[in-house]
């Protein structure tokens, strides 16, 4: 079966990805805390960097491990977006990687994927 390219769907997915890039700051924080920890930075220094308590900094690292084990498609998508755009910046290659992930996993078909519903879906 030959499915034609849906320009509207492509546009909606691209727009949603742009929104998601700006919304995954929490995941970026977890990734940064884990990288700092792996680089030998103390929990106290991580806490100071994020302006949180040491207990909270420890929870960031624990949450990172929890996410790594997650089977939840939405969590995995957000984590992938955060990893791809770790400094909250993106270029066309980043967008292409994320879009490819979205199409490959078909998560755009999930109810949670689009924040803004089509006019026909309201």
């Amino acid at each position: 079966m030959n499915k034609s390219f849906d320009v509207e769907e492509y546009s909606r997915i691209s727009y949603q990805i742009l929104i998601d890039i700006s919304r995954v700051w929490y995941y970026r924080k977890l990734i940064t805390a884990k990288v700092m920890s792996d680089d030998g930075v103390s929990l106290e220094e991580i806490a100071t960097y994020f302006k949180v308590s040491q207990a909270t900094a420890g929870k960031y690292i624990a949450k990172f491990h929890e996410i790594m084990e997650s089977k939840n498609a939405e969590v995995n998508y957000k984590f992938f977006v955060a990893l791809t755009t770790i400094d909250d910046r993106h270029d066309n290659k980043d967008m292409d990687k994320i879009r490819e992930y979205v199409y490959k996993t078909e998560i755009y078909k999930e109810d949670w994927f689009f924040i803004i519903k089509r006019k026909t879906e309201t």
Side-chain angles (χ1 to χ4, degrees), residues 65-112:
H65 290 291
E66 182 181 318
I67 287 171
M68 290 297 294
E69 299 295 321
S70 178
K71 303 292 184 210
N72 181 289
E74 184 174 4
V75 169
N76 291 333
Y77 165 69
K78 289 178 180 178
F79 191 69
F80 182 80
V81 171
L83 279 171
T84 305
T85 61
I86 197 65
D87 61 359
D88 196 23
R89 295 188 178 147
H90 62 280
D91 60 20
N92 290 336
K93 289 180 183 178
D94 297 332
M95 286 292 293
D96 288 344
K97 285 180 197 173
I98 297 168
R99 205 172 6 255
E100 181 181 346
Y101 178 91
V102 169
Y103 277 111
K104 184 178 179 181
T105 60
E106 297 187 340
I107 57 175
Y108 63 93
K109 294 178 180 178
E110 300 290 336
D111 289 338
W112 56 262

Side-chain angles (χ1 to χ4, degrees), residues 9-120:
E9 179 180 81
Y10 179 89
S11 177
R12 286 186 69 227
I13 289 170
S14 298
Y15 182 71
Q16 185 61 51
I17 290 169
L18 288 172
I19 291 170
D20 293 337
I21 287 171
S22 69
R23 297 182 75 219
V24 295
W25 58 268
Y26 177 70
Y27 289 81
R28 285 189 198 100
K29 187 182 288 190
L30 302 178
I31 293 165
T32 301
K34 175 64 172 138
V35 168
M36 291 174 75
S37 175
D38 288 351
D39 286 346
V41 177
S42 72
L43 204 53
E44 182 180 356
E45 291 171 303
I46 295 169
T48 300
Y49 177 82
F50 288 111
K51 299 179 179 141
V52 297
S53 69
Q54 285 187 41
T56 299
K59 289 177 184 175
Y60 289 170
I61 296 165
K63 186 67 175 175
F64 174 91
H65 290 291
E66 182 181 318
I67 287 171
M68 290 297 294
E69 299 295 321
S70 178
K71 303 292 184 210
N72 181 289
E74 184 174 4
V75 169
N76 291 333
Y77 165 69
K78 289 178 180 178
F79 191 69
F80 182 80
V81 171
L83 279 171
T84 305
T85 61
I86 197 65
D87 61 359
D88 196 23
R89 295 188 178 147
H90 62 280
D91 60 20
N92 290 336
K93 289 180 183 178
D94 297 332
M95 286 292 293
D96 288 344
K97 285 180 197 173
I98 297 168
R99 205 172 6 255
E100 181 181 346
Y101 178 91
V102 169
Y103 277 111
K104 184 178 179 181
T105 60
E106 297 187 340
I107 57 175
Y108 63 93
K109 294 178 180 178
E110 300 290 336
D111 289 338
W112 56 262
F113 184 76
F114 292 107
I115 293 174
I116 301 169
K117 301 289 183 195
R118 295 181 212 197
K119 291 178 183 176
T120 58

